[in-house]
Amino acid sequence: MSAVLDHHAGHDDHAHDHPHGWRRWLYATNHKDIGTLYLWFAFAMLISGGVLALTIRAELMQPGLQYVQPELFNQLTTMHGLIMVFGAIMPAFVGFANWQIPLMIGASDMAFARMNNFSFWLMPPAALLLVGSFFAPGGATAAGWTLYAPLSVQMGVGMDMAIFAVHILGASSIMGSINIITTILNMRAPGMTLMKMPLFVWTWLITAYLLIAVMPVLAGAITMLLTDRHFGTSFFNAAGGGDPVMYQHIFWFFGHPEVYIMILPAFGIVSEIIPTFARKRLFGYSSMVYATASIAILSFIVWAHHMFTTGMPVTGQLFFMYATMLIAVPTGVKIFNWVATMWRGSMTFETPMLFAIGFIFVFTMGGLTGIILSVAPLDIQLHDTYYVVAHFHYVLVAGSLFALFAGTYYWLPKWTGHMYDESIGKLHFWASLITFNITFFPMHFLGLAGMPRRYADYPMQFADFNFIASIGAFGFGLSQLIFLYAILKCIKGGKPATAQVWENAEGLEWTVPSPAPFHTFETPPTVR
């Protein structure tokens, strides 16, 4: 989207308009402050979820029980999943949405500023409930992050805390989504038609609709769990005539669109970064928009591919198998367009571009293992093995997380007014990429050899690959401290950033000074 501006309007920073100190953050209604809160919250949750992951990998480094009992091990795997999905990845993308969407569409702020504040401040208490459930009698929930019945019907009070936390986080997501949709549809700068919007804004518009569609489904599923646990219903309790498999259907009807909720904004970030450093317009803009919409629509009809082993009729298996393969088509369109954008461009390899290319490379590998898992006879063999763990970490870590890193380095100069240290950024990239693959690539072989997931112990034949994966995991965890150092160093100081941080970057956010003033676009710019 080429933005020709008539004027640089309303950039004066009214320092006296906003409170300082703790009041500034507690009562924040400015989209930039709330975006910052989301991003720091997500990073804190990423670290805490990472600590749980490293405890899991320490236990699995060698056969036999080392550090934790199997009961605690299952609590760790469950809470790691819940914290990473609901506490780290999703809030991080909402933080990007808060920071960038008003800047990208020329709006002065989000549509509902106080609701924006409320939707953030729901998250810390929910996170405390979730993490605090470890200290409840009987410990945290150990039913897997999917909270499958019948296990989740039988757990202790930690399970109720998890249900309550997920409810609160879901309410926060719905409010955030209403805010994002209203902002995008009603507050774009004059002249910015829908098909002139930056792709990041498009991907978030579609993601927000997905969230509003599926969050109530999850709320319904966990409410039914709650009534099964405390009010004598038997939705999922087989002893009372209920059906545990029904829980899986309801959960995955939420859970599959959820997977795309966590990757579509990543596609948007990568679609902003690659044209900038390839110094070319994005190849096939409209096909990217249609591909994003197609992925969102198709995500609603593939949920039972997580359930090939539940005794589904062959007709059902065939439907879900072909529907799942079909989703690979719009995803392939996106990857083709990114590669075509880079083709014969004058590429340079700054840190955001490295993470974007790393994203394409490793995300494509995760996508291909997903196609393998979509084939029902193969999936029946690989279901609940480490092959599945490898697959979704390739998509979620090397997908969502690498895109978040890319976006952070890309917009950090705009947020802080300082350039980050390029050599530290590159060190972070190479350390992350190499240790990530050392961690998760061996898991494909473990899964093919039949090692089941969520087990605290394993026989000797899996020892070597598990040892390699554990070493890689600790390396990957330490690499994120480089990221923290890069950010803190950039906030403290560094080379001052210009308004147009990257010479070839297009879009309205590059027309405001760096750091972006507290109030921007008080008079909307005109896009021609």
Side-chain angles (χ1 to χ4, degrees), residues 27 103 232 236 428 495:
Y27 302 136
L103 288 178
F236 311 128
H428 175 225
K495 208 174 83 191

Side-chain angles (χ1 to χ4, degrees), residues 205-225:
L205 179 64
I206 291 167
T207 302
Y209 275 113
L210 273 181
L211 272 164
I212 288 177
V214 301
M215 272 322 208
V217 179
L218 175 66
I222 58 179
T223 305
M224 290 153 89
L225 264 184

